[in-house]
Amino acid sequence: MFDLIISEDNISDRLECTINKTFEVEVTDNKLNFINEKFKSLNFKYKINSSSFYLYITSPSQREFKSTELSKDGYSCSKGVFYSDNDFDYKLLTSMFLFKDELEGQFQYKLKTDIPGFDGWNSMEEFFFHLNRNLEWLVLRNYQFLPYNFFGNDHDIDLLCSDRELFVNVANARKRSSGISGYEVKIEGKFIDLDIRFLGDQYYDLNWQKRMLRTRVFSNDIVPIPNDENHFFSLLYHLLLQKKNFTKTSIERLSSILKKGDGFIKNCNERQLLYLLNNYMNENDYEFYLPHDLSLPVNLNYRKLKMKNKKKHNINPSLFKMIKRYLRILILKY
């Protein structure tokens, strides 16, 4: 990774660190406001006042500066200069202005940039292409119509990413009123719902989430998805524990994943599938969790699995939180 410096003036002659790349960036005034709003939302103590500025990618091993305007500790700004050695800042800002292959090209660019996704995305392919270049993420399920036949066949995308905040900013998604994971993004002039699950949100065990991202594969060469094992068991977990009821349609969805043995699944009842999931969780040392997202329904299978796994597994949220969740269901019911 590299350090990042933004300056409204050319300060290359005042930097003693190794400059790997220099970008002279020009943006329109409305996009300048967009950039500053993004800075503000992320608590950056910096505002770009000029529609033309310089972006330097520098070596992280050398942080000596001739100018006292630049700090060596984290990010700071003074007199139109912003410096950061923060990995998040680097990923966000380069995704806004650059593509990864541009970081590997010539030494200096004069870049009149169109911020990706500023006015929405022209196509699902463009959206996925940009995300794949800048993020660690995958589509959890129902990816059959992606990216070419989504409209008219589906209405939302369930996904997992390593960092929700970074994903939201790179995707230019906006919040909708549906739990901590509910967002939407504009594609082909239409707003598409996104359910953004992220590492540590207890939607799945953290180690399982990391494994899904690490072992992901691609559908249609552009859609990142879980491999067959993770796809099947994460869907089984979702249908048994994160849906109000397990139905015949649930069985059909599980059967569609299996290339062989779908007859076995079709003949299983809910209790047998719970046993199957429980064994899988035990074998991989995964925990059962109630997710942080309170908009999700609570299935009573959680209680069954908790009783079955008193010695091996406990649902980690406190008893108080569990009682609150069940009380919430009763209030809504009556």
Side-chain angles (χ1 to χ4, degrees):
M1 195 50 66
F2 302 97
D3 288 353
L4 183 71
I5 299 173
I6 299 175
S7 174
E8 294 170 19
D9 300 315
N10 188 346
I11 58 171
S12 57
D13 59 339
R14 291 151 55 194
L15 301 175
E16 288 189 350
C17 57
T18 301
I19 302 175
N20 296 76
K21 304 287 179 187
T22 300
F23 297 90
E24 186 178 352
V25 183
E26 292 183 17
V27 296
T28 57
D29 288 340
N30 62 332
K31 291 177 182 176
L32 182 63
N33 292 333
F34 173 81
I35 294 168
N36 283 323
E37 282 299 314
K38 191 149 289 194
F39 279 5
K40 184 178 178 181
S41 70
L42 296 171
N43 296 317
F44 286 4
K45 300 174 182 178
Y46 183 66
K47 181 178 180 180
I48 300 174
N49 296 305
S50 172
S51 58
S52 297
F53 54 91
Y54 291 84
L55 177 65
Y56 302 96
I57 310 298
T58 68
S59 172
S61 60
Q62 301 180 34
R63 293 175 181 158
E64 298 297 329
F65 303 100
K66 288 181 181 178
S67 172
T68 57
E69 296 168 6
L70 298 176
S71 168
K72 300 176 189 177
D73 303 317
Y75 45 59
S76 66
C77 59
S78 176
K79 299 182 181 179
V81 176
F82 169 87
Y83 162 69
S84 174
D85 59 5
N86 182 288
D87 182 53
F88 181 93
D89 302 342
Y90 177 87
K91 289 179 179 178
L92 172 62
L93 292 169
T94 53
S95 73
M96 288 171 65
F97 304 129
L98 315 167
F99 281 129
K100 285 183 179 177
D101 53 355
E102 289 172 326
L103 297 177
E104 300 169 359
Q106 63 196 51
F107 178 77
Q108 182 163 345
Y109 288 86
K110 186 163 185 177
L111 185 66
K112 287 190 176 181
T113 186
D114 182 18
I115 298 172
F118 172 75
D119 292 317
W121 302 92
N122 295 322
S123 67
M124 194 68 74
E125 296 96 310
E126 180 189 52
F127 178 59
F128 276 62
F129 186 67
H130 185 66
L131 297 185
N132 290 343
R133 282 185 154 188
N134 293 285
L135 297 167
E136 187 179 20
W137 79 293
L138 57 78
V139 178
L140 281 168
R141 51 188 169 265
N142 302 332
Y143 56 82
Q144 293 85 345
F145 299 109
L146 292 169
Y148 307 112
N149 299 302
F150 177 83
F151 297 101
N153 290 304
D154 210 338
H155 65 281
D156 66 350
I157 300 175
D158 297 293
L159 63 94
L160 170 69
C161 65
S162 58
D163 188 308
R164 179 186 56 179
E165 191 174 37
L166 181 61
F167 185 98
V168 167
N169 281 280
V170 170
N172 287 319
R174 70 183 190 185
K175 192 73 183 73
R176 57 186 174 89
S177 56
S178 181
I180 63 173
S181 295
Y183 288 82
E184 62 183 9
V185 66
K186 189 178 181 182
I187 303 174
E188 295 185 25
K190 306 177 186 71
F191 280 100
I192 307 301
D193 289 349
L194 303 178
D195 287 322
I196 303 176
R197 311 301 172 184
F198 53 94
L199 295 184
D201 67 352
Q202 297 191 169
Y203 192 73
Y204 295 112
D205 179 280
L206 176 61
N207 289 325
W208 194 4
Q209 291 177 322
K210 290 179 178 179
R211 183 183 174 196
M212 286 188 212
L213 291 172
R214 188 173 63 250
T215 61
R216 64 181 183 168
V217 295
F218 283 83
S219 172
N220 290 323
D221 298 322
I222 195 173
V223 183
I225 60 173
N227 64 22
D228 287 344
E229 177 187 315
N230 286 320
H231 185 197
F232 176 82
F233 282 102
S234 65
L235 180 59
L236 180 61
Y237 186 103
H238 172 66
L239 294 174
L240 287 171
L241 303 180
Q242 296 169 345
K243 292 288 187 182
K244 287 184 178 180
N245 298 299
F246 190 82
T247 64
K248 183 179 179 181
T249 303
S250 302
I251 293 285
E252 292 171 354
R253 290 179 66 184
L254 289 166
S255 298
S256 67
I257 299 175
L258 298 179
K259 297 179 177 65
K260 295 180 180 179
D262 60 326
F264 164 75
I265 294 299
K266 287 179 180 177
N267 292 323
C268 282
N269 58 35
E270 185 174 351
R271 182 172 172 273
Q272 290 169 322
L273 290 173
L274 276 170
Y275 182 79
L276 176 66
L277 176 63
N278 183 64
N279 281 351
Y280 179 76
M281 299 291 284
N282 283 337
E283 287 175 3
N284 289 279
D285 200 25
Y286 295 151
E287 299 282 348
F288 292 101
Y289 288 92
L290 288 175
H292 292 316
D293 188 353
L294 295 179
S295 69
L296 291 171
V298 176
N299 191 300
L300 294 182
N301 283 327
Y302 272 114
R303 180 183 293 173
K304 297 175 186 176
L305 287 168
K306 185 182 179 185
M307 295 302 293
K308 186 183 290 289
N309 292 288
K310 278 185 176 179
K311 296 183 179 180
K312 294 183 179 179
H313 289 294
N314 285 311
I315 301 176
N316 288 2
S318 66
L319 180 61
F320 175 70
K321 285 186 178 180
M322 288 186 65
I323 292 172
K324 276 176 58 178
R325 294 291 296 275
Y326 287 119
L327 283 175
R328 183 169 176 269
I329 292 173
L330 290 173
I331 291 169
L332 290 175
K333 185 174 180 181
Y334 297 104

